Amino acid sequence: MKKGFVCLIACILSIACILSGCQRGDMMDVSITSDWELKEFTVNDKTVKASQMDADMRKLAPAFVCKDGENCVVSNNGKDHKGTITQSDGLYVISFDDTDQQLSGQISGDVLTLVNTKKTVTFVFVAN
């Protein structure tokens, strides 16, 4: 009887640990204003992972910064593009000062994905 009770308690504790581990990602405080680090980018179906880039390439790599939830800077190829963020249908929409092109973005867990309107460029960032 004691053995069965101990096994039952061990099973309950194991399930509780597993369930709390699964919820960790959902409970993270991730927002558009998080500190984002490049994971990978894709241009015309060619994907480059940040982990594969050398120091010179990292200087030109895409970056995303948003401190206030409304204004952002998207950097790419060594050039900064100032943008304004709005929300539409659950997506972030970034409009830029220097072009009529837009990016749409979505946060899933701790990952921010930005895609251009032509669907030829995708930036994937991970929250730090």
Side-chain angles (χ1 to χ4, degrees), residues 60-65 73-81 123 125:
L60 302 175
F64 177 82
V65 176
V73 176
V74 177
S75 303
N76 189 31
N77 211 15
K79 185 175 180 188
D80 291 345
H81 304 275
F123 302 137
F125 300 95

Side-chain angles (χ1 to χ4, degrees), residues 34-84:
S34 295
D35 183 21
W36 297 102
E37 180 180 333
L38 181 67
K39 179 179 179 182
E40 66 185 34
F41 65 95
T42 304
V43 178
N44 295 324
D45 297 324
K46 183 180 178 192
T47 300
V48 177
K49 296 192 180 299
S51 61
Q52 299 170 335
M53 294 188 296
D54 62 24
D56 290 333
M57 190 173 186
R58 283 185 182 271
K59 292 177 188 175
L60 302 175
F64 177 82
V65 176
C66 178
K67 298 295 182 192
D68 62 6
E70 296 176 7
N71 300 291
C72 67
V73 176
V74 177
S75 303
N76 189 31
N77 211 15
K79 185 175 180 188
D80 291 345
H81 304 275
K82 293 181 181 179
T84 305

Side-chain angles (χ1 to χ4, degrees), residues 13-29:
L13 289 174
S14 296
I15 291 171
C17 289
I18 290 170
L19 291 176
S20 67
C22 292
Q23 292 176 352
R24 183 183 174 275
D26 296 337
M27 294 173 54
M28 290 180 65
D29 189 22

Side-chain angles (χ1 to χ4, degrees), residues 85-101:
I85 299 173
T86 56
Q87 291 189 30
S88 176
D89 297 326
L91 294 175
Y92 294 100
V93 178
I94 304 172
S95 302
F96 296 97
D97 297 342
D98 60 354
T99 181
D100 60 348
Q101 293 295 313

